[in-house]
Amino acid sequence: MKIVCGNANRPLAEDICKYLDTELVGCDVRRFADQEIFVEIQDNVRGQDAFVVQSTSYPANDNLMELLILVDAMRRSSAKRITAVVPYFGYARQDRRTSGRTPISAKLVANLIVEAGADRVLTVDLHAGQIQGFFDIPTDNLYAAPVFARDIKERYETGKAMVVSPDVGGVVRARALAKRIDAPLAIVDKRREKAGVSEVMNIIGEVDGYDCILVDDIVDSGGTLCNAAEALLNNGASSVTAYITHGVLSGEAANRISKSALKELAITNSIKPTKAVLDAKNIRTIDLAPLMGEAIYRTYKEQSISSLFN
Ligand code: R5P
């Protein structure tokens, strides 16, 4: 097994290697003066089972291009099988045409990864599960839910916690977590008037007196979360925390979360936290490396991955 990574999230790749008791393959990823990406793999990977770890997070296009070039380099270096390990699959929110004359960029990015030479994809909490079908190669979509459930059980009193989906689109994900921790479910009926601005309308469910746990796949501007937290507290919730898989946290989001009514935001390290995220007092990171490391091990050993989630 050979594991290589680009510049998107080296600490996560190193932690995955620690879990697997192996070392990252030496790899030089650098830029020409005009910002073209150049990659040189420094170890022999001929005939090996290769895993390229790279989230397509900010800067999304640079990190995507690094992923494609790393996969191409592995293919041309005669790796036997290449798995694109993409903890955060950016562009996933563009998974359908929302109006006329728009692209389906998630499908385009999937095509690029396959065309570059990936034989498999391993990712976490895809924005929509059906994006797996955009790849015409085996694609494993891991869930952060068991990791979140373990963390929640350590911190919350049974009977006092309620899982809340911050929008109608996230109900399936929220229900799965509620089932794991044996908690009731509520839903925030959110209306987004224009892109980037979210507005809370109604709470479906009785949240009065509960410690509410918002669950979602992505926190980007933080608008959805902060508005939902306020609405839940206005409806009598005792406290509001959030468990979100991918901390995209663009621009002023970390600052916004720090100043919000959220008691705590727990994110995973699918995306490397920025300084602003690390400095925010109410943002905590939960490690995905053991889950990803185990999934990589099982891929290598041709063992079941779905049984990780039973
Ligand atoms: C939307 O469908 C996603 O699941 C998230 O709710 C959304 O991307 C969060 O965005 P923001 O933090 O900018 O409100």
Side-chain angles (χ1 to χ4, degrees):
M1 181 201 297
K2 295 283 181 189
I3 301 182
V4 72
C5 75
N7 290 310
N9 196 346
R10 195 178 171 93
L12 174 63
E14 283 171 349
D15 288 348
I16 290 173
C17 285
K18 259 185 224 149
Y19 178 89
L20 292 164
D21 199 16
T22 184
E23 301 268 314
L24 272 175
V25 166
C27 177
D28 192 13
V29 182
R30 57 176 198 268
R31 301 279 189 278
F32 288 166
D34 65 352
Q35 295 304 301
E36 260 184 41
I37 294 161
F38 172 75
V39 159
E40 189 175 10
I41 294 168
Q42 287 153 345
D43 293 356
N44 177 24
V45 295
R46 189 176 291 273
Q48 300 288 316
D49 201 2
F51 295 85
V52 179
V53 183
Q54 175 87 337
S55 278
T56 53
S57 50
Y58 179 85
N61 301 325
D62 283 359
N63 284 334
L64 171 61
M65 204 62 205
E66 273 190 14
L67 171 65
L68 300 174
I69 292 175
L70 280 163
V71 170
D72 185 73
M74 278 291 183
R75 182 165 58 109
R76 292 178 197 281
S77 309
S78 304
K80 184 179 70 194
R81 180 173 69 170
I82 303 163
T83 302
V85 181
V86 192
Y88 169 64
F89 179 69
Y91 278 101
R93 286 174 285 181
Q94 299 186 52
D95 59 351
R96 64 194 180 284
R97 301 187 75 207
T98 46
S99 60
R101 300 182 294 281
T102 54
I104 305 180
S105 306
K107 172 63 180 151
L108 171 65
V109 171
N111 286 349
L112 290 171
I113 293 173
V114 175
E115 198 51 41
D119 299 296
R120 306 184 61 88
V121 171
L122 180 65
T123 185
V124 185
D125 277 340
L126 278 171
H127 180 59
Q130 57 270 28
I131 294 172
Q132 283 172 94
F134 288 8
F135 296 92
D136 285 330
I137 51 177
T139 300
D140 291 300
N141 181 28
L142 308 180
Y143 303 105
V147 183
F148 286 166
R150 211 173 308 130
D151 193 87
I152 292 167
K153 280 182 187 161
E154 282 167 17
R155 284 159 197 268
Y156 288 86
E157 222 177 281
T158 327
K160 276 212 73 189
M162 177 175 291
V163 174
V164 183
S165 173
D167 56 32
V168 176
V171 173
V172 173
R173 185 179 298 109
R175 192 183 292 128
L177 183 67
K179 204 170 149 201
R180 276 183 192 275
I181 63 166
D182 197 18
L185 175 73
I187 301 161
V188 179
D189 175 28
K190 171 185 85 167
R191 300 279 150 86
R192 202 187 278 272
E193 296 298 329
K194 56 178 178 175
V197 179
S198 67
E199 204 179 342
V200 172
M201 300 298 285
N202 288 306
I203 310 282
I204 305 168
E206 187 47 71
V207 297
D208 194 7
Y210 278 98
D211 289 321
C212 288
I213 302 170
L214 285 158
V215 57
D216 208 347
D217 59 330
I218 294 171
V219 50
D220 188 350
S221 68
T224 303
L225 270 192
C226 296
N227 292 344
E230 227 158 89
L232 290 166
L233 290 170
N234 289 342
N235 279 264
S238 303
S239 70
V240 185
T241 55
Y243 282 75
I244 315 287
T245 310
H246 307 297
V248 175
L249 295 166
S250 314
E252 280 300 296
N255 199 12
R256 188 175 194 177
I257 301 280
S258 310
K259 292 184 182 146
S260 75
L262 269 178
K263 193 169 144 195
E264 187 187 69
L265 163 63
I267 52 173
T268 75
N269 52 351
S270 66
I271 296 172
K272 186 166 73 178
T274 58
K275 185 169 179 318
V277 171
L278 294 172
D279 288 349
K281 281 189 232 45
N282 61 347
I283 304 182
R284 179 167 61 94
T285 307
I286 298 179
D287 188 16
L288 270 188
L291 176 70
M292 302 217 63
E294 185 59 28
I296 288 174
Y297 178 78
R298 290 181 182 212
T299 303
Y300 170 65
K301 287 281 187 187
E302 309 281 0
Q303 292 172 355
S304 164
I305 287 185
S306 62
S307 58
L308 277 172
F309 303 101
N310 293 337

